[in-house]
Amino acid sequence: MKRLPIAALAAFAAITALAPAASADIGLLHVVAMGDSYASGTGAGDYQPGTEGNCWRSNNSYSEQIVARVRARGTSVQFTNVTCSGAATSDLYKDFLGQGPQLDALQVDTNVVLLTIGTNDIGYAAYGGLCIQADCSGAPTQAITAKLPDMAKNVGQLLQDIHARSPHAKIVLSAYGSQLSPDANADGKLDPICDASVFSAQERTEGNALASKLNKTLQDTAYRAHLGGIDTAFVSEYAADSVHLNSTFAGHSLCQAGTPFYRGFDALAPGQEGPDAVLHLNKAGQTALADLIMAKA
C-alpha cells in the first residue's frame, strides 16, 4: 500500500505517517485504539485499573506506547483506548465484558484508528490451548483454517463500518505474528512451553502454516479495503510474503535463542496473568510492534 503524501505527516511533525491528509491542519490528533487481547496488551503487564481479569488493558500496549511517544514530541493527542481481551469482530458492536460497544468510541473527527482483530472469530486461542493440552494437528488445524474466509468477511465489514463512522480516519490494522519457532527448540534454558511434549514437530509445522495463512488473510482484507477507498494500512510481524518474519520479529518467537516477544508458561507462575496471557506479546513484543507501526503505517 502506498504511503501518505508528505503534507499528511504534519500532524505528527514527521514522526510517523499515521495521520491522514484530512488532519494536516488540526491542532489536536484524535486517536482510537480498538480490538482484542493483542491490541489491549494482554501479557504485557501494567494493566489499567478495573481491566485485570477481563479486558487486560495494558499501559504497555502498542497503542499506548505510540501515543506516549507522539505526545512526548509535542503533538496534542486525544486518545480513547477501548480494546478488550477476548473480543471478536461482532463484539465491537455491542456491550462486552462490562464495556460499551467499542465502535461507539469513533467520532466523525477521529483521525487514526489502531486496530488488531480477527483471531477470536476463528477460535484461535482455543486452538492454541488444544495444541498445548492434546494434539491439534490434522483435523483441528484444518477446521480453523476453514474459518479464515468468514473472518475476512467480518473484518472487511468492520473496516467499512469504521470508515462510515470516521470517514477521515486512517485505519491501521496490525497482525499477530508467529508465536512459536517452526524448527526444533534452541539450545539453552527455554520456557517450559518449548518442551517437545507440549508442541510436537508436526504441531509446530501446521501451526506456523496456519499463522502464515492468518496473516495473509488479514493482509488481503486490508488491501481490498484500501482499494475500496478506505484509508487502510496493514502492519505485520511478517515480511511481505506472509511466510518469513521481518527483521524486527525474526528470532524472537518462543523457543528461539533470541529474546522472546511472546509469553509462554511463565504467564502461569504465581502472581502472573494466567492462561489468558500465554502465546501473547510481552512488553518487548508490544514495543517492537509499536516500532513497526510508527515506521511503516
Side-chain angles (χ1 to χ4, degrees), residues 18 24 31 53 121 161 167 176 187 190 196 214 241 245 247 252 272:
L18 285 177
V31 179
D121 290 47
D161 293 338
Y176 297 88
D187 293 332
L190 297 174
L214 168 63
D241 62 6
L245 293 175
S247 59
H252 295 286
Q272 297 301 308

Side-chain angles (χ1 to χ4, degrees), residues 62-284:
Y62 69 82
S63 61
E64 293 281 352
Q65 292 195 51
I66 288 170
V67 169
R69 295 182 200 181
V70 173
R71 284 173 171 164
R73 288 160 173 79
T75 300
S76 297
V77 182
Q78 177 181 303
F79 180 46
T80 305
N81 184 349
V82 290
T83 56
C84 194
S85 180
T89 53
S90 60
D91 296 317
L92 273 60
Y93 296 81
K94 61 188 180 184
D95 290 351
F96 181 72
L97 296 185
Q99 309 285 319
Q102 292 192 32
L103 283 171
D104 286 356
L106 298 171
Q107 303 295 328
V108 173
D109 62 352
T110 298
N111 303 118
V112 178
V113 177
L114 300 171
L115 173 68
T116 309
I117 198 74
T119 53
N120 290 308
D121 290 47
I122 62 174
Y124 202 55
Y127 169 76
L130 177 62
C131 294
I132 292 170
Q133 298 171 23
D135 185 359
C136 66
S137 62
T141 301
Q142 295 166 11
I144 296 295
T145 302
K147 296 179 181 180
L148 289 175
D150 284 340
M151 183 202 74
K153 292 178 183 177
N154 295 342
V155 176
Q157 184 61 56
L158 176 64
L159 295 175
Q160 292 182 40
D161 293 338
I162 292 173
H163 180 66
R165 295 189 184 215
S166 302
H168 305 299
K170 182 177 187 66
I171 305 171
V172 182
L173 178 66
S174 56
Y176 297 88
S178 177
Q179 292 78 19
L180 289 169
S181 63
D183 305 316
N185 294 345
D187 293 332
K189 187 177 181 180
L190 297 174
D191 190 278
I193 201 172
C194 297
D195 190 90
S197 65
V198 180
F199 283 94
S200 68
Q202 186 63 26
E203 286 178 308
R204 284 172 183 267
T205 298
E206 293 188 17
N208 276 281
L210 173 59
S212 175
K213 291 175 182 176
L214 168 63
N215 192 82
K216 185 64 164 59
T217 300
L218 290 171
Q219 181 182 41
D220 290 347
T221 302
Y223 186 61
R224 284 193 295 270
H226 185 78
L227 290 180
I230 301 174
D231 191 1
T232 309
F234 180 67
V235 177
S236 172
E237 299 85 349
Y238 282 89
D241 62 6
S242 287
V243 175
H244 302 91
L245 293 175
N246 60 41
S247 59
T248 300
F249 274 78
H252 295 286
S253 297
L254 283 165
C255 312
Q256 295 183 297
T259 303
F261 283 172
Y262 294 89
R263 299 292 298 278
F265 284 167
D266 66 295
L268 304 180
Q272 297 301 308
E273 298 92 334
D276 286 355
V278 175
L279 300 178
H280 283 70
L281 289 171
N282 56 26
K283 181 180 178 180

